[in-house]
Structures are given as structure tokens and as C-alpha cells.
């Protein structure tokens, strides 16, 4: 290469596989079904999972699965070897049945089957009774009062308490081992304790579902490949800076910087836009017929975003997820933004409209992420030291959105709960957060999960870059302030 010649870099490729099928709502019609069915589906999955873990959790306690299985074997033995003597057979079977009824621990016990003072293990779904939880009836009555209301950011109160529910009953929980501020409605747990004379259940210990099984990270490649995450563009909003986002586009497409920047840009294999890309002014969304001037306000942000995304789609693969402010259904799982909204970008095979949550695989590395609604809702109804702790809790509970449908809107599924985590991702990201946060979570069975909070780009000018080679990530900061 001679002096003055430009060095050309070829963008690296990564094998992509979408796993969003379970979040797609197609071929289903709402026929008045209630949300109880999704709770029953969730309880069924959690109960089967926790019952398989109970014998490892409390192996020293008598009467657990081993005792039950032993009685079953003895019953079969007596039936087979005492066929000639009905009297002896009936005598020993009666003894075995009485022993079975007196087992200390019964893992399949239901709430209405609790006996006072008897130690047991029950499995169910948590319901959190909250004093400050918003209610439409309370809001209506307060609107008629003259006292101005202050809506709290967090609805946790010291008088909150937990209740365990199953298909047939509910019981109030007591005890110091279960702290109400750490849990939300919809969490599945196994509880060890006993029923008190007051009718409550005294919790001595509890078991969470734990991190789901995880595929091993691929080790056949050792080259740098980056995935870039950005969220909260809010095109059309007052905080959106077109020049700032154009700088990001130029950097990702290799049109900005020097040779080192070109090389870094060529290592970027995918861009993920995690929701809230469009912000339409609420003043024109009042249900009234729009004037001609207001119609342009409604469509201009979408047209502007399409122009920007087209520049990216020309150069690299990108996924766009819907978010709280985007023109998509408000309840989870949010369906992909319609491709007709982006006539320019959708002409390219590199442009993918995805669901929220979004689950995909890239070179054997599994990603799962949301646009932030699930974590923001946990922040309203529980307490944690940071947003990463809420993300970690959803992994331990094996559920992306435990508060749905109680306080977070979701589709009324009847036969499944798509938010239940079958496998543990290697990267778990959440968009539209206040600031960038990250942590590498290490699980008990050599789990490695990179947790990422992606800040709103319109406020921070920050995108996040993740290296597929080692799951390390760092920020990419863009600013148009000449004094910064």
C-alpha cells in the first residue's frame, strides 16, 4: 500500500438467530379470557420446577420425596406379596396409610390442606398487599377532593405484607426470613414452615427457582466482535439532538475518526435499538380529529427516524425493538413495529423489527433484553440497591415480568406464560434507564451473565458496546458540546 492510500476494512459478520417466536401474538383472538389462566400456567411451571428441587434443598428433613416414594414402593410390595391374605394386606396397608398421613413434610400440599403446628413445604405464587398501590376507585375519590395529590415514585410502605396463593386458597405469611420489600406480586416460591393458631403461615425458610440452565459459551473463536446497544432516542421529542445521533451513525458506519476508529467500526457486527425510538407529542394524541398541521407532527418523527435508520441498514445489521413511547401495543409482549413505518430501512435485509422482550443468539452467545418496562415496574413495587439487582432477581425467579399482569400490562395468554425463562442468557440488557450500569453475574453452576442497563441516548448521548469475545462492555459517548 503506497503513501496516501486509504486502508479499507471489511465489516465482520456474526451468525444471527432470532428466538422471538414465543413472544409473537399471531392467530390469537381475544374472546374475553381472564388473567387467571396465565397465573395458573405460571404456577404449574413453578410448582413442577420447585418440587424437583425440594429434596436437595431440605435433604435432612424427614418425610420428603424419599419418604413418599418409599411408602409407594412398600404399598406395591404388599399388594404383590400378600395377595392370598386379604386380612394381612388390609392391616399393613392401613398402617402405611396412617404413616403417609402423618408425614412431617408434604411437598405437594395445598393451602387449604395446611394443618396447625405441622411442619410442611408449600409452593405457590406471592401476592403483595400494598397500602399505597394505585387503585382506580381511590383515584376517583381523591380527584373529587380539594387536596392536591403527590404521586410517589415508589409505592412500598412499612405496612405491606405477603400472601401465598395457589389454585384453591391463600394464606398470609409471617416470619423474619421473608422480607416484603424484596418481593412482588407474581413471584413463585417454595416455603418451609407451619400454620399458626391464628391461621397464618410462619415461614422458616424459602426457596426460589434459581438461575435457569445455561449453554456454555462458544470457545471456537477468539476475535473481537462488538454488539452496540442504544435506547431512548426519542426522535420528535424536545431532548432529541439530531447532530448527536448523526455522530453515532457516522462512527458506527466508519465515516468518523481515524484508522483506529475505522478498525473498531469494522468489528461491530450488530446494532440493537432497545425501545423508545419515537416520541409523539401527547398534546395531539387526544382522540380528536387531527388538523393538517397536527398530522405532520404525527408523521414527521417517524419519517426522520426512517432516514436515520436507512443510513445504518446500508452498512450493518440492526434490530429495533418497540418501547413505551413507540407506535406499538402498550402491553407486553410488544409486537414488532410495522415495517411500513420505515419504507427506506425496510428495503434492506439487514433491518429487523423485533419484539419486546427480544431474545436472540449471535455466534452462540444468547441475548435477552427488554425496553425497560419490567424493571421500572419492579422499581415501583419493591426496593433494591440498584437496577441491576432487579435484573438479577428476574433471573433468580426465572421470570422476565413477574408483576405482569397485576401492575404491568400483558396479553391474556391462556395456555402458556411466555415470560418464563427456560434458559439463562449470556447477556441480559434493559433499555431506557437513567444511567449506565453493568455487572458480570456468576451463578452457582458456572453461570456467567453480563447484566447491562442502557441509558436514554437523548439525555446521556451514551451507547454501550459489548465484546462477544469476553462479554466485556464499555460506553461510547457522543457529545455536540464544544466545551465538554
Amino acid at each position: 500500500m503506497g503513501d496516501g492510500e486509504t486502508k479499507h476494512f471489511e465489516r465482520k459478520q456474526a451468525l444471527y438467530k432470532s428466538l422471538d417466536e414465543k413472544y409473537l401474538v399471531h392467530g390469537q383472538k381475544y374472546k374475553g379470557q381472564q388473567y387467571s389462566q396465565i397465573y395458573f400456567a405460571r404456577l404449574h411451571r413453578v410448582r413442577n420446577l420447585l418440587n424437583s428441587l425440594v429434596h436437595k434443598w431440605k435433604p435432612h428433613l424427614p418425610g420428603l420425596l424419599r419418604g413418599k416414594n418409599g411408602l409407594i414402593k412398600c404399598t406395591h410390595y404388599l399388594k404383590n406379596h400378600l395377595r392370598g391374605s386379604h386380612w394381612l394386606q388390609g392391616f399393613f396397608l392401613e398402617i402405611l396409610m396412617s404413616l403417609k398421613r402423618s408425614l412431617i413434610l408434604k411437598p405437594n400440599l395445598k393451602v387449604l390442606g395446611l394443618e396447625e403446628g405441622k411442619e410442611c413445604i408449600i409452593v405457590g405464587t406471592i401476592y403483595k398487599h400494598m397500602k399505597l398501590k394505585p387503585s382506580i376507585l381511590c383515584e376517583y375519590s381523591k380527584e373529587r377532593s380539594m387536596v392536591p395529590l403527590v404521586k410517589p415514585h415508589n409505592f412500598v410502605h412499612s405496612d405491606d405484607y405477603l400472601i401465598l396463593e395457589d389454585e384453591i386458597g391463600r394464606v398470609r405469611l409471617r416470619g423474619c426470613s421473608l422480607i416484603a420489600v424484596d418481593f412482588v406480586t407474581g413471584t413463585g416460591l417454595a416455603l418451609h414452615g407451619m400454620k399458626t393458631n391464628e391461621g397464618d403461615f410462619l415461614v422458616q425458610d424459602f426457596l426460589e427457582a434459581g438461575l435457569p440452565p445455561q449453554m456454555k459459551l462458544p470457545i471456537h473463536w477468539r476475535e473481537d466482535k462488538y454488539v452496540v446497544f442504544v435506547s431512548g432516542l426519542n426522535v420528535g421529542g424536545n431532548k432529541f439532538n439530531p447532530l448527536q445521533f448523526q455522530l453515532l451513525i457516522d462512527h458506527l458506519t466508519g465515516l468518523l475518526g481515524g484508522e483506529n476508529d475505522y478498525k473498531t467500526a469494522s468489528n461491530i457486527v450488530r446494532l440493537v435499538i432497545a425501545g423508545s425510538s419515537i416520541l409523539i407529542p401527547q398534546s395531539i394524541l387526544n382522540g380528536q380529529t387531527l388538523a393538517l398541521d397536527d398530522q405532520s407532527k404525527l408523521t414527521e418523527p417517524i419519517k426522520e427516524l426512517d432516514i436515520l435508520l436507512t443510513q445504518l441498514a446500508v452498512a450493518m445489521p440492526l434490530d429495533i425493538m418497540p418501547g413505551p413511547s413507540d407506535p406499538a401495543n402498550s402491553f407486553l409482549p410488544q409486537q414488532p413495529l410495522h415495517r411500513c413505518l420505515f419504507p427506506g430501512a425496510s428495503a434492506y435485509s439487514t433491518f429487523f423489527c423485533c419484539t419486546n422482550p427480544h431474545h436472540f443468539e449471535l455466534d452462540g452467545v444468547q441475548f435477552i433484553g427488554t425496553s425497560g418496562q419490567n424493571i421500572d415496574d419492579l422499581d415501583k413495587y419493591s426496593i433494591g440497591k440498584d437496577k441491576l439487582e432487579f435484573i438479577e432477581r428476574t433471573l433468580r425467579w426465572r421470570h422476565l415480568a413477574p408483576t405482569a399482569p397485576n401492575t404491568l400490562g400483558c396479553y391474556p395468554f391462556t395456555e402458556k406464560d411466555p415470560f418464563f425463562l427456560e434458559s439463562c442468557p449470556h447477556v441480559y440488557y434493559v433499555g431506557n434507564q437513567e444511567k449506565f450500569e453493568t455487572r458480570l453475574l456468576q451463578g452457582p453452576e458456572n453461570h456467567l451473565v453480563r447484566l447491562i442497563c442502557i441509558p436514554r441516548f437523548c439525555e446521556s448521548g451514551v451507547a454501550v458496546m459489548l465484546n462477544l469475545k469476553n462479554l466485556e462492555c464499555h460506553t461510547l459517548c457522543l457529545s455536540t458540546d464544544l466545551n465538554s
Side-chain angles (χ1 to χ4, degrees):
M1 181 180 296
D3 295 338
E5 291 186 19
T6 304
K7 186 176 180 180
H8 295 280
F9 294 93
E10 184 176 351
R11 187 177 298 278
K12 293 179 180 178
Q13 303 295 321
L15 184 61
Y16 174 80
K17 180 181 180 182
S18 175
L19 303 172
D20 285 341
E21 180 67 27
K22 56 182 173 291
Y23 301 125
L24 293 174
V25 182
H26 51 76
Q28 302 187 44
K29 293 183 179 180
Y30 177 71
K31 299 180 180 179
Q33 61 264 36
Q34 299 298 309
Y35 284 107
S36 59
Q37 292 172 297
I38 191 173
Y39 275 124
F40 290 153
R42 184 184 307 178
L43 178 59
H44 177 72
R45 298 293 301 275
V46 171
R47 175 178 286 135
N48 289 339
L49 173 64
L50 290 174
N51 281 341
S52 66
L53 301 176
V54 162
H55 68 284
K56 294 182 180 179
W57 175 42
K58 298 291 182 180
H60 60 285
L61 295 175
L64 208 49
L65 292 175
R66 289 179 298 178
K68 181 180 178 182
N69 293 336
L71 286 175
I72 294 174
K73 291 180 180 179
C74 289
T75 303
H76 289 314
Y77 178 85
L78 288 174
K79 287 182 178 180
N80 293 330
H81 290 78
L82 295 178
R83 292 178 181 176
S85 177
H86 298 287
W87 182 85
L88 287 174
Q89 187 182 55
F91 176 75
F92 284 113
L93 284 177
E94 183 62 30
I95 294 176
L96 288 176
M97 290 302 102
S98 63
L99 288 173
K100 184 177 181 180
R101 287 190 293 267
S102 64
L103 284 176
I104 297 178
L105 293 175
K106 301 175 183 178
N108 293 318
L109 196 63
K110 301 295 179 66
V111 168
L112 295 184
L114 293 175
E115 299 180 27
E116 183 180 328
K118 282 197 173 183
E119 207 174 351
C120 62
I121 289 178
I122 55 175
V123 178
T125 305
I126 292 293
Y127 173 79
K128 188 173 182 178
H129 185 277
M130 303 189 71
K131 184 177 181 179
L132 300 180
K133 179 183 174 183
S135 168
I136 186 63
L137 295 178
C138 293
E139 290 180 9
Y140 175 76
S141 61
K142 291 176 181 177
E143 281 178 2
R144 300 179 64 87
S145 66
M146 300 301 295
V147 181
L149 301 176
V150 178
K151 293 185 178 180
H153 165 71
N154 186 280
F155 299 103
V156 174
H157 191 272
S158 58
D159 293 338
D160 298 342
Y161 58 88
L162 301 179
I163 296 172
L164 190 78
E165 294 181 333
D166 60 15
E167 303 96 327
I168 58 175
R170 53 172 17 199
V171 62
R172 182 170 175 173
L173 305 179
R174 295 188 182 277
C176 301
S177 60
L178 207 63
I179 304 175
V181 297
D182 293 339
F183 295 91
V184 292
T185 297
T187 310
L189 293 177
L191 303 179
H192 170 218
M194 65 179 66
K195 184 179 179 180
T196 65
N197 55 7
E198 298 177 352
D200 302 329
F201 189 80
L202 181 62
V203 180
Q204 301 176 10
D205 198 3
F206 67 91
L207 175 66
E208 297 172 328
L211 270 64
Q214 186 184 55
M215 294 174 53
K216 290 186 178 181
L217 278 169
I219 57 175
H220 59 275
W221 41 259
R222 288 298 180 188
E223 56 180 344
D224 293 322
K225 290 183 180 180
Y226 292 95
V227 180
V228 176
F229 299 94
V230 66
S231 71
L233 302 178
N234 285 341
V235 177
N238 296 329
K239 295 182 180 181
F240 175 66
N241 187 340
L243 178 57
Q244 191 176 47
F245 188 51
Q246 188 62 52
L247 287 174
L248 176 63
I249 293 174
D250 292 342
H251 179 78
L252 298 181
T253 55
L255 300 177
L256 189 68
E259 184 173 315
N260 291 334
D261 297 308
Y262 301 155
K263 183 177 181 181
T264 301
S266 67
N267 293 333
I268 299 173
V269 295
R270 199 165 203 89
L271 170 67
V272 178
I273 303 176
S276 293
S277 303
I278 302 169
L279 183 61
I280 298 174
Q282 293 294 322
S283 59
I284 65 174
L285 298 177
N286 53 14
Q288 304 297 324
T289 303
L290 296 179
L292 292 177
D293 294 340
D294 291 336
Q295 289 180 14
S296 63
K297 294 179 182 178
L298 186 65
T299 58
E300 283 303 320
I302 302 175
K303 292 180 180 179
E304 184 177 358
L305 178 62
D306 181 40
I307 294 172
L308 297 170
L309 295 181
T310 302
Q311 300 178 55
L312 290 164
V314 171
M316 61 188 302
L318 69 97
D319 295 347
I320 182 168
M321 301 166 53
S325 64
D326 292 318
N329 58 297
S330 59
F331 53 81
L332 295 181
Q334 286 185 288
Q335 300 304 286
L337 297 170
H338 204 287
R339 294 180 69 88
C340 71
L341 297 173
F342 312 104
S346 61
Y348 295 90
S349 60
T350 54
F351 180 73
F352 294 84
C353 293
C354 307
T355 60
N356 171 35
H358 182 29
H359 189 191
F360 64 96
E361 187 176 300
L362 207 58
D363 271 357
V365 180
Q366 288 214 359
F367 293 75
I368 198 165
T370 70
S371 297
Q373 296 100 316
N374 61 331
I375 302 303
D376 292 341
D377 206 56
L378 288 178
D379 190 28
K380 292 178 183 178
Y381 297 97
S382 60
I383 293 179
K385 61 181 180 181
D386 53 29
K387 292 294 185 69
L388 295 175
E389 183 172 350
F390 294 129
I391 299 176
E392 183 179 342
R393 286 177 186 175
T394 60
L395 285 176
R396 296 203 316 265
W397 297 336
R398 293 201 190 188
H399 204 277
L400 282 176
T403 56
N406 183 51
T407 55
L408 183 64
C410 78
Y411 184 82
F413 293 96
T414 57
E415 299 179 356
K416 64 176 182 177
D417 184 356
F419 307 111
F420 190 85
L421 289 171
E422 301 282 356
S423 61
C424 186
H426 301 109
V427 180
Y428 185 174
Y429 64 91
V430 175
N432 298 293
Q433 300 305 301
E434 296 178 358
K435 60 181 180 179
F436 168 73
E437 294 179 289
T438 186
R439 180 189 306 151
L440 188 63
L441 174 64
Q442 297 183 359
E445 298 181 2
N446 298 322
H447 292 81
L448 282 178
V449 189
R450 171 60 66 180
L451 310 179
I452 306 174
C453 287
I454 310 168
R456 301 181 189 91
F457 187 82
C458 65
E459 299 175 357
S460 62
V462 172
V464 180
M465 295 185 65
L466 172 86
N467 194 340
L468 292 177
K469 176 181 178 179
N470 47 24
L471 299 185
E472 291 183 357
C473 69
H474 62 273
T475 58
L476 179 62
C477 303
L478 285 303
S479 176
T480 57
D481 186 1
L482 297 179
N483 296 322
S484 62

